[in-house]
């Protein structure tokens, strides 16, 4: 995608698929799609390696009741910024190959998030913010140790 891929206010959307997509030149912005679960989102972007701009996800899976979900992007290596908001059912975020976030990392209102798995992350070029992430008990799975960032268990 040479620009932004933006999908918003699609209340009935349950499937989104771009399995061969490797690079998004600017932003991937998916908001207010309560019937789209993170499972379908992951299946649609399993080959994605680079998002040069922001990955913004807001209010996915909320129509699924209380079922918890995971967000795993196995091939993602480079990201401009990450902004997850109102992802109430999200239990795990795992980007095992992500090495660089060139700007900010923001998680807001992810009250069930227990695991943040970014073991290869070496650089965050901007701020890191966790707001209303109530049950996340450890930041030990973030790889920023060379930068002096060490997670702790609470």
């Amino acid at each position: 995608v040479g620009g932004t891929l933006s999908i918003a206010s699609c209340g009935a959307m349950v499937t989104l698929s771009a399995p061969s997509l490797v690079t998004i030149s600017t932003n991937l912005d998916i908001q207010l799609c309560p019937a789209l679960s993170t499972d379908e989102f992951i299946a649609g972007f399993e080959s994605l390696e680079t998002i040069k701009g922001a990955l913004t996800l807001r209010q996915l899976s909320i129509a699924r009741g209380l079922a918890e979900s995971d967000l795993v992007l196995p091939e993602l290596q480079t990201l401009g910024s990450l902004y997850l908001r109102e992802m109430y059912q999200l239990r795990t975020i795992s980007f095992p190959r992500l090495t660089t976030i060139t700007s900010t990392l923001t998680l807001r209102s992810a009250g069930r998030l227990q695991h943040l798995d970014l073991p290869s992350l070496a650089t965050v070029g901007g701020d890191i913010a966790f707001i209303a992430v109530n049950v996340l008990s450890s930041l030990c799975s973030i790889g920023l140790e060379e930068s002096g960032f060490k997670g702790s268990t609470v």
Side-chain angles (χ1 to χ4, degrees), residues 1-6 21-29 45 48-55 76 78-81 102:
V1 175
T4 293
L5 175 55
S6 182
L21 185 63
V22 175
T23 300
I24 297 176
S25 294
T26 55
N27 304 314
L28 175 56
D29 184 8
F45 292 95
L48 191 59
E49 295 177 3
T50 302
I51 302 172
K52 293 180 181 177
L55 170 58
L76 188 64
T78 303
L79 184 57
S81 63
T102 57

Side-chain angles (χ1 to χ4, degrees), residues 61-119:
S61 299
I62 62 173
R64 302 286 172 126
L66 299 177
E68 293 180 336
S69 62
D70 298 330
L71 176 60
V72 180
L73 291 175
E75 300 301 321
L76 188 64
Q77 298 169 30
T78 303
L79 184 57
S81 63
L82 177 62
Y83 187 65
L84 302 182
R85 180 175 176 192
E86 298 165 19
M87 298 289 287
Y88 302 114
Q89 281 74 11
L90 196 59
R91 177 187 55 209
T92 300
I93 298 170
S94 179
F95 303 158
R97 297 186 66 198
L98 182 66
T99 59
T100 304
I101 299 175
T102 57
S103 186
T104 59
L105 166 60
T106 303
L107 304 178
R108 181 181 191 110
S109 299
R112 293 188 182 168
L113 184 65
Q114 298 172 13
H115 306 286
L116 181 60
D117 183 32
L118 309 171

